[in-house]
Structure formats: structure tokens, C-alpha cells
Amino acid sequence: NIECLPCWPEIDTKDPPPQTAKPPAMQSKEITVMEASAKKKGKNIIIPIGKNNRGDFRWVGQMRGAPGCYTISPDNLESAPRYRDSDNKCDICGNACGELFVFRAFRPLPPLHEGSSADDKAAREERKLLPFISYVSVKCGKNLLGQQNELSAAMDFVMLHLAKSEDNQA
């Protein structure tokens, strides 16, 4: 099995480029209710896609044709399955936008500087995707993904071809 890196590869010591623009400062009713419920229960739960939180994270979308892999390219996103009992609404705008995509978040790299602690270095090595899954339309989500560079485009190409070659061997 291909084991896709949950975030950014070790060969790239920088984060993907930050968001190209701010997504709309709104959120779906479902996300608002989720945040209010957590607050009411006294739980300090951060909902990454919440309008006050989403800028604190880096975002990736599930890659088309490479299960378990993620991309920052809006052109390579896999459509999320439509669920019968779901309203299929975008977590950002709250509208039934039609096609939704699976988005996941991870924390940006903490800056390393001379005298960085072992905890800072460990945080850089142990970074993983958060378990929270968001369903976002491409219109709302493309601003979350950042700007694709040559390295991320090459990684998409390699992951997609590795996934295809694994399918052919199965």
C-alpha cells in the first residue's frame, strides 16, 4: 500500500504557501451549532473550519485518484460522496453548492530559530492532519488551499502515478 504523507514531505522544510485570499467570513449553521454545543458543554474544542479558526491552519483537499493522499491543487480534488441523509451543504457558506470536497487541516510549522527548544523541533516532526473533516465547495475552498508551487505539483503527479500503478498490480 502507498502510505501518503499526512501533511508535507520531509524534503520540504517549509509550509505550503499560505492562503491566497481570505474565504468568506461566514460559516454554515451546522458549524455554528457545533461550536456553540462545545462551548455550552465547557469543552475547549477547536472547530478548524469555524470562521474564527480557519486562518490558523493550513488546508488540503482529498486528491482525486489517490485515496488517502491530499493536495493543495483545486484541479486535483476528489468529489466527496453524496450521503442520502445529509444536506450536502458547504461548511463555509452553508449553501447546497452541489459538488463538495473533503478538506482537512493541519497546523502551520512553528518557526525554528537559533536556540529552538526540543519541543519546537518535535512539533515540526510530529505534525499530522487533524481528525476533523470538512465538506467544502470548490468556490469556497480554493482560497483555503494556498498557491501550488512546483514541488507540490510534482508531488501530486508522483502520488497519482503511484496510486495508479498500485491499482494495476492489485
Side-chain angles (χ1 to χ4, degrees), residues 68-82:
C69 294
Y70 293 86
T71 181
I72 61 168
S73 170
D75 298 330
N76 293 334
L77 296 176
E78 175 78 48
S79 294
R82 293 185 68 90

Side-chain angles (χ1 to χ4, degrees), residues 19 22-23 48 50-59 108 144:
Q19 299 166 187
K22 294 280 185 207
K51 65 183 175 186
N52 296 323
N53 300 324
R54 65 178 77 113
D56 296 337
F57 297 93
R58 296 291 188 259
W59 291 88
L144 287 177

Side-chain angles (χ1 to χ4, degrees), residues 41-114:
K41 292 178 182 176
K43 295 183 178 179
N44 190 18
I45 297 173
I46 295 174
I47 309 296
I49 199 69
K51 65 183 175 186
N52 296 323
N53 300 324
R54 65 178 77 113
D56 296 337
F57 297 93
R58 296 291 188 259
W59 291 88
V60 290
Q62 188 170 345
M63 182 184 263
R64 181 182 345 105
C69 294
Y70 293 86
T71 181
I72 61 168
S73 170
D75 298 330
N76 293 334
L77 296 176
E78 175 78 48
S79 294
R82 293 185 68 90
Y83 297 105
R84 187 170 22 132
D85 296 331
S86 172
D87 59 8
N88 288 304
K89 291 185 178 178
C90 174
D91 285 342
I92 292 180
C93 69
N95 295 323
C97 295
E99 194 171 28
L100 297 178
F101 302 90
V102 172
F103 275 62
R104 303 270 308 269
F106 59 96
R107 295 196 180 277
L109 287 170
L112 277 185
H113 46 78
E114 194 171 322

